[in-house]
Amino acid sequence: MHPACVQRVSLSIGLATLALVSISPPASGQQSGAVQGTVVEAGTNRPLANAIIFVADPGAAVGAAVERIRTATDAQGHYLLSDVPAGRQQVYVRALGYTSERALLTVLSAQTTELDFQLTRTVFALDEIVVSGAGGRIEKKRLGNTIATIDASAFETGPVMSFSEALSAREPSVVGLPSDGLAGGGARVRIRGSSSLAMSNEPVVYIDGARVDNSGGFLGGRMWTGDQGGGGSPSRLDDINPETIERIEILKGAAAATLYGSEASAGVIQIFTKRGRVGAPRFSFRIDQMASRYPDVYKPNAGFARDDSQAATMSELFGIPVRPFEVIERKFVQDMFETGHQHAYSVDVAGGSDDVQYYVAGRTSFENGPLGAEVLGPARDFGRKY
């Protein structure tokens, strides 16, 4: 790099703006140069990491430009485009959550031109990219079938304790049907209702491109006699830590069977997990607390004592005075229920350099369900997950 040959151009991007930089014709000799600079946020001058800088043919629109030379900004917002052909070139910048723009300039041979960008935040979303059923990334608007996308930001601040809760009521025609009321019991996911009387109505599930088994299984409780008793139907999807999910793509309708086979006639769910990011380690910690209780829908039981002996026994048992042939009421079923509680603790860290990025997450949860009945015997309704 030759300091005497460096020329600086500052470009502030809000709405569609175009900066034209005229520099003297390239000198003879080498036929390539370089472009470097920084990308910051307008107003705050905060460096923008992972902004995409690339060179494309002049005259192309931002969305239709074909990248020829590409790089990304580092944690300090710096970038360097090397081996840029000398002559008139067009430099583009793209960053998630900011406007995408370009600058037209002339690159000098064997010299470095500095070009700084100041990007303004935008409320407009970028064209959504999906992968479900396409075999690769493709713009959502170019697909001929319906694909729903649920972003992690939709439930990061919500009371989400499991994957079933993250999925339910966030996309039309996708519902989670509770299988039972026991602790650890999962939901049965249905996309546009049940589609078959003979085949499974569970959607096909992929996590980061690998198919997973969502068949569930028997959830047994160890009773005081030593035998297996009780039981429920857990969902293997609820084994996924919802804090690690980046987005969920849902493929509905007949297109699912066309692309994935007859097993996918009930739909396809693609789960994409979070990835590491360039920059210093960023830690996050989350605590969830929840209470649960069965609604009071059971009518009380009624009865009476036929003689003084029965009346004395009932008085001792219920703790109230009972007289023969006097009708009393008691909610016996209430002794079987209690106020359940659930708590979960999650922690994750993400960071990395330009060469290696990392993301690590851990979660532990404990649920004590609303079934009590310990006054009637050693019965428990709880579950732990790590």
Side-chain angles (χ1 to χ4, degrees):
M1 177 175 128
H2 305 284
C5 301
V6 173
Q7 303 187 40
R8 178 178 295 274
V9 181
S10 296
L11 180 67
S12 178
I13 294 178
L15 299 175
T17 58
L18 180 64
L20 298 179
V21 184
S22 297
I23 305 177
S24 56
S28 59
Q30 297 183 355
Q31 298 300 313
S32 64
V35 179
Q36 71 174 12
T38 58
V39 180
V40 299
E41 183 181 73
T44 65
N45 288 329
R46 181 176 64 88
L48 298 181
N50 296 321
I52 302 301
I53 311 292
F54 64 94
V55 176
D57 295 329
V62 176
V66 178
E67 302 176 13
R68 292 190 288 137
I69 303 174
R70 169 181 171 142
T71 188
T73 57
D74 58 18
Q76 288 73 41
H78 300 306
Y79 74 91
L80 173 64
L81 289 168
S82 303
D83 298 325
V84 180
R88 200 171 181 80
Q89 301 293 343
Q90 191 159 225
V91 180
Y92 295 75
V93 58
R94 288 189 306 213
L96 187 62
Y98 297 85
T99 52
S100 300
E101 290 299 335
R102 59 193 174 186
L104 190 63
L105 73 161
T106 301
V107 178
L108 300 180
S109 298
Q111 297 186 22
T112 300
T113 301
E114 293 207 6
L115 180 62
D116 296 340
F117 292 97
Q118 292 184 348
L119 305 187
T120 303
R121 286 186 175 272
T122 177
V123 296
F124 298 101
L126 298 175
D127 288 335
E128 192 169 359
I129 302 297
V130 295
V131 301
S132 295
R137 294 179 179 269
I138 187 173
E139 290 184 10
K140 185 177 180 180
K141 64 183 180 182
R142 297 180 180 273
L143 290 174
N145 51 274
T146 300
I147 289 184
T149 303
I150 302 175
D151 192 81
S153 59
F155 48 84
E156 279 183 347
T157 57
V160 174
M161 302 288 281
S162 65
F163 176 84
S164 299
E165 295 178 5
L167 197 62
S168 298
R170 302 191 184 275
E171 176 62 27
S173 73
V174 180
V175 297
L177 305 175
S179 57
D180 54 61
L182 298 177
R188 294 169 295 164
V189 179
R190 294 292 182 268
I191 301 177
R192 293 181 175 173
S194 298
S195 58
S196 174
L197 295 176
M199 300 178 63
S200 172
N201 287 291
E202 290 288 338
V204 175
V205 180
Y206 287 85
I207 300 179
D208 291 331
R211 183 171 175 177
V212 298
D213 180 15
N214 187 34
S215 59
F218 176 75
L219 184 66
R222 179 69 66 178
M223 301 186 68
W224 68 276
T225 58
D227 298 325
Q228 288 290 339
S233 301
S235 171
R236 294 279 69 90
L237 292 180
D238 288 340
D239 294 338
I240 303 172
N241 180 2
E243 294 295 309
T244 64
I245 298 176
E246 182 180 74
R247 74 181 190 279
I248 304 170
E249 294 180 6
I250 304 171
L251 184 60
K252 311 174 186 177
T258 303
L259 297 168
Y260 289 89
S262 59
E263 280 188 298
S265 58
V268 174
I269 297 177
Q270 287 255 25
I271 303 169
F272 299 90
T273 57
K274 295 179 180 178
R275 295 289 187 269
R277 297 181 178 180
V278 176
R282 296 184 59 184
F283 293 85
S284 64
F285 185 70
R286 173 167 170 163
I287 300 176
D288 295 282
Q289 299 285 342
M290 183 183 71
S292 60
R293 187 173 181 84
Y294 274 108
D296 186 10
V297 296
Y298 299 98
K299 295 184 179 299
N301 295 84
F304 60 90
R306 291 180 171 82
D307 51 42
D308 291 335
S309 176
Q310 287 185 353
T313 301
M314 293 173 65
S315 298
E316 181 181 357
L317 178 62
F318 300 143
I320 58 175
V322 179
R323 288 180 290 273
F325 299 103
E326 178 182 345
V327 177
I328 63 171
E329 292 185 346
R330 176 71 182 269
K331 287 188 175 181
F332 292 97
V333 72
Q334 289 299 107
D335 295 334
M336 301 179 62
F337 299 130
E338 63 182 3
T339 300
H341 67 275
Q342 181 179 1
H343 57 258
Y345 305 92
S346 303
V347 61
D348 60 58
V349 56
S353 62
D354 294 334
D355 299 322
V356 178
Q357 294 88 44
Y358 59 87
Y359 176 81
V360 181
R363 187 172 191 262
T364 176
S365 65
F366 173 81
E367 179 181 5
N368 186 8
L371 291 179
E374 291 189 42
V375 296
L376 305 178
R380 299 295 301 277
D381 175 34
F382 67 90
R384 291 188 177 92
K385 289 184 180 181
Y386 301 95

